[in-house]
């Protein structure tokens, strides 16, 4: 599969202050596993309408717990199915503030073998991807696969990326990785503090009322 498009950087760098310089307290990152299996279609196990779902991402820097947005059911369904155990290969620290993960080859390439339609796109406008948002990367309209990004500080992007969840705890994990910066300096590249998702666990709670 070809490279997944990345959210494009804003041409106007943010004038807000830099993230905290507190270093991340992380265990040594395990070597991420390259995933070679692909599928021809999402699994077709829709989310139950009266349930709320969460995906906990265990990482060497601590857990990140995400609440799934029911407004993106197709995306969330396949995200539950894929159960990433992959490297977070891209960090941006100026203009937009995201940590991108979910490449089967851990280098920004590849996907699950199928694509899912765009869902739950935000309005065009300032900070339309607010802090804590979890959204899909893509290579154009209707091409989302397995790559996603976590927004660790309010970010403005074209309204082209499916929002499928929100971090409910552990955003500080991403912010500490961001504070360590990008390898070799710069504002867009491999995180200086390696972060690998070692396990993804889904849980379901039944809504009352």
């Amino acid at each position: 599969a070809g490279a997944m498009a990345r959210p494009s950087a804003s041409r106007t760098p943010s004038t807000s202050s830099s993230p905290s310089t507190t270093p991340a307290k992380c265990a040594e990152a395990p070597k991420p596993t390259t995933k070679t299996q692909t599928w021809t279609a999402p699994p077709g196990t829709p989310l139950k309408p009266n349930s709320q779902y969460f995906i906990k991402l265990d990482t060497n820097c601590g857990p990140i717990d995400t609440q799934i947005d029911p407004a993106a059911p197709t995306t969330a369904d396949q995200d539950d199915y894929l159960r990433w155990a992959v490297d977070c290969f891209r960090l941006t620290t100026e203009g937009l503030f995201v940590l991108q993960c979910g490449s089967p080859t851990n280098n920004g390439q590849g996907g699950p073998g199928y694509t899912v339609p765009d869902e739950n796109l935000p309005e065009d406008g300032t900070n339309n991807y607010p802090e804590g948002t979890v959204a899909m990367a893509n290579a154009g309209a209707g091409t989302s696969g397995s790559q996603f990004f976590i927004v660790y500080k309010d970010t403005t992007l074209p309204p082209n990326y499916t929002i499928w969840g929100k971090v409910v705890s552990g955003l500080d994990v991403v912010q500490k990785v961001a504070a360590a910066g990008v390898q070799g300096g710069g504002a867009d590249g491999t995180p200086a503090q390696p972060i690998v998702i070692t396990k993804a666990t889904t849980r379901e709670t039944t809504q009352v009322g």
Side-chain angles (χ1 to χ4, degrees):
M4 299 290 287
R6 301 171 170 186
S8 56
S10 167
R11 289 190 173 89
T12 305
S14 170
T15 57
S16 58
S17 61
S18 299
S20 164
T21 55
T22 304
K25 292 182 175 63
C26 300
E28 183 176 354
K31 183 176 177 60
T33 302
T34 298
K35 291 180 177 290
T36 57
Q37 184 177 3
T38 58
W39 296 267
T40 56
T45 52
L47 306 178
K48 298 175 186 175
N50 294 323
S51 293
Q52 179 60 66
Y53 295 85
F54 298 81
I55 297 179
K56 179 185 177 187
L57 303 175
D58 289 320
T59 81
N60 59 299
C61 294
I64 304 168
D65 199 27
T66 297
Q67 183 174 2
I68 291 176
D69 191 327
T74 304
T75 303
D77 171 28
Q78 67 99 22
D79 289 346
D80 175 19
Y81 179 61
L82 290 172
R83 303 298 179 101
W84 305 288
V86 294
D87 189 14
C88 293
F89 60 89
R90 183 198 182 201
L91 175 70
T92 63
T93 61
E94 287 183 14
L96 66 160
F97 306 96
V98 305
L99 178 69
Q100 189 166 336
C101 318
S103 162
T105 52
N106 306 299
N107 62 0
Q109 304 297 309
Y114 59 80
T115 58
V116 292
D118 297 329
E119 300 176 292
N120 198 32
L121 298 176
E123 296 293 324
D124 194 5
T126 302
N127 297 335
N128 55 345
Y129 288 83
E131 179 179 286
T133 297
V134 187
M136 299 303 291
N138 62 46
T143 62
S144 296
S146 63
Q147 294 191 37
F148 67 100
F149 58 93
I150 301 171
V151 181
Y152 64 87
K153 183 178 177 182
D154 289 353
T155 290
T156 302
L157 284 167
N160 302 335
Y161 307 99
T162 292
I163 294 175
W164 62 264
K166 181 176 177 60
V167 175
V168 292
S169 68
L171 188 62
D172 60 315
V173 171
V174 183
Q175 291 169 335
K176 288 178 180 179
V177 170
V182 173
Q183 287 183 15
D188 188 344
T190 304
Q193 168 57 62
I195 177 170
V196 174
I197 298 169
T198 55
K199 184 180 180 182
T201 307
T202 302
R203 69 186 187 278
E204 174 189 353
T205 59
T206 302
Q207 296 175 336
V208 179

